Amino acid sequence: MRAARLIKMVLLLQDRPSMTAAQLAAELEVSERTVARDALALSEAGVPVYADRGRAGGYRLVGGYRTRLTGLARGEAEALFLSGLPGALRDMGLEDAASAARLKVSAALLPSLRDAHESAARRFHLDAPGWYQEPETPELLAPVAEAVWGDRRVSARYRRGDGGEVERELEPYGLVLKAGVWYVCARAGSSFRTYRVDRFASVAVGEERFDRDPDFDLPVFWEERSAEFARSLLRTEVVVRLSAAGARRLPYVTDRAAAEEALAAGTAEAGRVRVVLRVESEEVAFGQLLGLGPEAEVLAPGTLRERFVEAARGLARLYR
């Protein structure tokens, strides 16, 4: 731990002309007294660190000194590719590795390019969670991430949607952050499945490594499973007659793929288009189609049509 901190201190001083004890303490997350001890240790080890006293003083390296400790470790290199996701790095316990990797890259750059990471950070930020949500970091995300990065098998207890728990032996291949929710894609037996990380009741990371399937493609797997999952939710059909405006707006109020499929197969009727739309449930369809107002007329099922009739009567009474 101390060795990594000493290396980070050298890289920080190599990247900047001078840093105060307070600045170094903040960067290294230690006390100023620890900074002084670390500077002395580096000096005794042959690294030319010296301190200037006074108001404009600080720690600096003798001019021209360059460390050769700029090679990236594997974990640092992997974390570097995720450095545009600061929240995700922190949640997975990779923030320190990413910080060290950025410093090493910065130390290897020409002086005129050393502010590149700051310039990029000022111009791009990824905010993964959706609006009106308070994302929570799953308690067991860190050990799951450790297993993913180390290709290690895990023994886990998983809470199913019905509340029951099951034991699983998993080979975790990859993590996905979708709208603020973490998922792990893992091989269980001979098949690949997706699990919500916040539903793990316990995770034990084993010492044994597994051999990754070279044909597994995480983005392709996630895209296919996401499409399958979305289709599996659409278990109910409703028949709707839409105006031209309603047809244009339909993909924005319900599942886009289902809306486009329904519109493609729609038939002209009474100056409108009649479609058969797949939805999650009558309750969901009521909330979605209500937003279309008079641009959509529900024809079937009868129970859903009756709900719209009652809603129309209520609105008429309210605005009469």
Side-chain angles (χ1 to χ4, degrees):
M1 182 69 178
R2 192 189 184 200
R5 189 175 72 241
L6 292 174
I7 292 172
K8 185 174 182 178
M9 183 174 178
V10 173
L11 292 171
L12 284 167
L13 292 174
Q14 182 175 303
D15 194 39
R16 307 178 194 181
S18 176
M19 293 184 71
T20 66
Q23 289 171 330
L24 282 168
E27 288 280 358
L28 300 172
E29 298 181 350
V30 295
S31 67
E32 293 185 28
R33 182 171 295 182
T34 299
V35 168
R37 286 198 297 264
D38 286 351
L40 179 61
L42 286 170
S43 181
E44 291 174 348
V47 178
V49 178
Y50 70 95
D52 284 334
R53 299 185 181 277
R55 181 175 297 179
Y59 291 91
R60 66 185 71 224
L61 293 173
V62 172
Y65 177 82
R66 304 289 296 175
T67 177
R68 297 182 181 275
L69 298 174
T70 52
L72 293 179
R74 180 176 183 83
E76 294 169 347
E78 291 171 339
L80 185 61
F81 286 101
L82 294 172
S83 41
L85 307 169
L89 282 168
R90 183 177 59 252
D91 294 344
M92 289 188 290
L94 298 174
E95 191 172 27
D96 287 344
S99 176
R102 286 193 294 269
L103 279 170
K104 288 181 178 182
V105 170
S106 179
L109 293 174
L110 293 171
S112 61
L113 298 177
R114 285 182 190 159
D115 66 343
H117 70 286
E118 295 179 357
S119 176
R122 286 194 294 265
R123 290 166 171 80
F124 175 76
H125 173 69
L126 176 64
D127 184 10
W131 291 105
Y132 316 118
Q133 295 182 19
E134 285 295 330
E136 294 184 3
T137 301
E139 182 180 351
L140 297 174
L141 176 60
V144 172
E146 176 191 347
V148 168
W149 294 112
D151 294 339
R152 296 188 182 277
R153 289 187 172 89
V154 300
S155 299
R157 282 190 298 117
Y158 186 74
R159 290 186 290 267
R160 298 182 308 195
D162 59 9
E165 288 190 1
V166 292
E167 300 279 346
R168 289 285 184 265
E169 296 293 324
L170 302 175
E171 295 178 355
Y173 268 61
L175 284 163
V176 175
L177 178 59
K178 168 71 170 178
V181 180
W182 285 93
Y183 298 86
V184 61
C185 303
R187 183 161 56 188
S190 59
S191 62
F192 287 94
R193 299 182 181 181
T194 302
Y195 301 87
R196 280 184 62 137
V197 178
D198 59 4
R199 287 188 181 173
F200 283 112
S202 68
V203 172
V205 182
E207 293 297 323
E208 184 182 3
R209 296 178 181 271
F210 62 88
D211 294 325
R212 297 180 70 91
D213 182 347
D215 295 327
F216 179 81
D217 187 313
L218 181 60
V220 171
F221 173 81
W222 177 257
E223 183 177 0
E224 292 174 349
R225 289 303 171 90
S226 297
E228 290 175 8
F229 177 72
R231 286 194 298 269
S232 72
L233 294 176
L234 307 179
R235 305 184 183 96
T236 302
E237 288 187 347
V238 299
V239 182
V240 187
R241 197 154 47 201
L242 299 163
S243 68
R248 286 195 302 271
R249 291 168 53 192
L250 185 65
Y252 299 98
V253 300
T254 188
D255 181 84
R256 177 175 290 274
E260 291 175 350
E261 180 182 318
L263 290 168
T267 57
E269 183 178 285
R272 295 192 166 201
V273 59
R274 177 190 176 105
V275 301
V276 178
L277 178 68
R278 292 187 299 123
V279 295
E280 189 173 341
S281 66
E282 286 190 26
E283 183 69 31
V284 171
F286 178 73
Q288 292 174 338
L289 297 176
L290 192 62
L292 295 180
E295 309 304 329
E297 178 189 0
V298 174
L299 303 177
T303 51
L304 181 58
R305 180 178 174 86
E306 190 57 36
R307 287 193 66 176
F308 274 90
V309 170
E310 289 301 319
R313 288 172 179 163
L315 284 171
R317 288 193 298 269
L318 181 63
Y319 288 100
R320 184 168 51 196

